């Protein structure tokens, strides 16, 4: 089983230290890990450090994976997909970049068809990437990262351009995929209700480090909401699938000027 943990991980841009001394216990295959925190708290930088895109202090311990570095796939918040290709051509090309032969096999066509069906983008198959709306492009970006068959998946706000229906569809699909393929999915989210409903574990990033890490229902507390977000809120924990955050007020002093 694939496992990942962070030990004393840090990220700096020149002399500006963004994150430091981040430690977690092991996350396991089959888990969805929500990464939450205020804007500009370092969530994207943490993902890039975990993916090996940027260097930094500390160590990312990865065990049980078969593909090595190639099994770690990062989906940025704003993926650029402006090639003069149809959606189907693009997804197939991405898939072939991570296989030993350029010959197209039937199982690869079945995979592409299955991904498009799961994300309800079959109707876009022969549309050019440049013709797509923002939400459609985001769904295609999700499909292309999944076409790489990741072992560790880092998704930076993958539902930000989607309507409510597609947000729930994508998150439910990602959760099912993690369990079926025994992969670890780290997903940065601003919607705490989605984070609570669809994740097993949660990491709270704020003020240059990790403020809490563990089972989502234990990490997301009224105290954490007040300390990190300045929100006076209650959490209805009738069940994780139906749990939600009820906001009563907020701390005016934490609002930007």
């Amino acid at each position: 089983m694939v496992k990942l943990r962070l030990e004393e991980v840090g990220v700096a841009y020149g002399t500006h230290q963004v994150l430091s001394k981040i430690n977690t216990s092991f996350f396991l295959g089959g888990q969805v890990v929500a990464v939450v925190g205020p804007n500009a708290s370092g969530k994207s930088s943490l993902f890039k450090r975990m993916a090996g895109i940027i260097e930094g202090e500390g160590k990312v311990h990865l065990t049980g994976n078969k593909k090595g570095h190639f099994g770690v796939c990062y989906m940025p918040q704003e993926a650029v997909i402006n090639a003069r290709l149809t959606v189907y051509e693009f997804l197939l090309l991405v898939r072939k970049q991570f296989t030993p032969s350029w010959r197209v096999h039937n199982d690869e066509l079945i995979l592409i068809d299955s991904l498009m069906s799961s994300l309800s983008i079959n109707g876009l198959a022969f549309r050019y990437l440049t013709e797509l709306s923002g939400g459609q492009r985001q769904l295609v970006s999700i499909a292309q990262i999944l076409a790489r068959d990741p072992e560790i998946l880092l998704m930076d706000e993958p539902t930000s351009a989607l309507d409510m229906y597609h947000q729930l569809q994508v998150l439910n699909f990602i959760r099912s995929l993690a369990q079926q393929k025994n992969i670890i999915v780290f997903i940065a989210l601003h919607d705490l209700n989605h984070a609570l409903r669809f994740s097993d574990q949660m990491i709270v990033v704020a003020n240059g480090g990790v403020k809490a890490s563990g089972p989502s229902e234990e990490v997301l507390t009224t105290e954490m909401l007040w300390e990190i977000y300045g929100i006076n809120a209650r959490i209805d924990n009738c069940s994780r699938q139906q749990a939600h955050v009820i906001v009563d007020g907020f701390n005016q002093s934490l609002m930007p000027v």
Side-chain angles (χ1 to χ4, degrees):
M1 176 185 292
V2 64
K3 300 180 181 179
L4 183 147
R5 76 177 177 91
L6 306 177
E7 180 185 3
E8 298 292 296
V9 165
V11 176
Y13 298 104
T15 59
H16 177 53
Q17 191 76 32
V18 178
L19 298 169
S20 61
K21 298 189 181 302
I22 291 181
N23 294 284
T24 69
S25 56
F26 270 109
F27 299 106
L28 309 176
Q31 292 183 333
V32 175
V33 184
V35 181
V36 304
N39 290 333
S41 58
K43 298 185 292 296
S44 298
S45 295
L46 178 60
F47 279 3
K48 291 175 184 177
R49 173 69 181 87
M50 292 168 67
I53 296 172
I54 57 178
E55 298 295 327
E57 59 192 18
K59 188 170 182 180
V60 179
H61 294 277
L62 185 58
T63 61
N65 58 315
K66 300 176 182 178
K67 296 183 178 181
H69 175 71
F70 292 104
V72 182
C73 295
Y74 168 60
M75 177 184 165
Q77 184 176 352
E78 295 182 1
V80 179
I81 48 173
N82 288 322
R84 184 62 177 172
L85 296 170
T86 66
V87 170
Y88 203 94
E89 289 170 339
F90 174 66
L91 294 178
L92 188 56
L93 178 61
V94 167
R95 175 65 184 172
K96 296 312 298 179
Q97 288 178 330
F98 294 88
T99 57
S101 168
W102 281 99
R103 182 178 179 181
V104 177
H105 298 280
N106 191 53
D107 60 339
E108 293 173 319
L109 298 177
I110 292 173
L111 171 65
I112 299 301
D113 288 340
S114 175
L115 284 174
M116 295 186 70
S117 177
S118 298
L119 295 168
S120 299
I121 56 174
N122 312 65
L124 303 179
F126 302 108
R127 294 270 303 277
Y128 284 99
L129 297 172
T130 52
E131 299 173 350
L132 304 182
S133 69
Q136 290 171 334
R137 291 161 74 88
Q138 192 160 35
L139 289 169
V140 172
S141 293
I142 294 169
Q144 66 92 8
I145 203 75
L146 296 176
R148 302 181 187 186
D149 196 20
E151 295 175 303
I152 306 290
L153 181 55
L154 309 167
M155 308 183 79
D156 196 350
E157 297 187 40
T159 60
S160 60
L162 303 181
D163 59 41
M164 181 61 71
Y165 172 83
H166 285 98
Q167 287 180 29
L168 296 174
Q169 179 193 30
V170 165
L171 292 172
N172 189 61
F173 174 57
I174 293 299
R175 179 167 178 77
S176 297
L177 190 72
Q179 296 171 341
Q180 291 168 9
K181 294 205 168 188
N182 222 26
I183 65 176
I184 310 174
V185 179
F186 293 86
I187 182 166
L189 292 169
H190 278 300
D191 190 317
L192 297 178
N193 288 313
H194 287 347
L196 189 59
R197 179 174 182 178
F198 291 101
S199 70
D200 306 288
Q201 302 282 318
M202 187 176 292
I203 299 173
V204 181
V205 180
N207 301 319
V210 167
K211 296 303 178 183
S213 176
S216 300
E217 64 273 16
E218 296 178 11
V219 170
L220 194 62
T221 64
T222 55
E223 293 79 14
M224 186 276 281
L225 292 170
W226 178 256
E227 178 185 356
I228 303 302
Y229 293 99
I231 296 173
N232 181 22
R234 297 169 282 129
I235 300 171
D236 184 347
N237 274 322
C238 50
S239 71
R240 193 179 70 175
Q241 286 70 28
Q242 297 178 343
H244 56 282
V245 178
I246 304 170
V247 179
D248 295 320
F250 56 91
N251 186 347
Q252 295 268 9
S253 65
L254 294 183
M255 297 297 289
V257 210

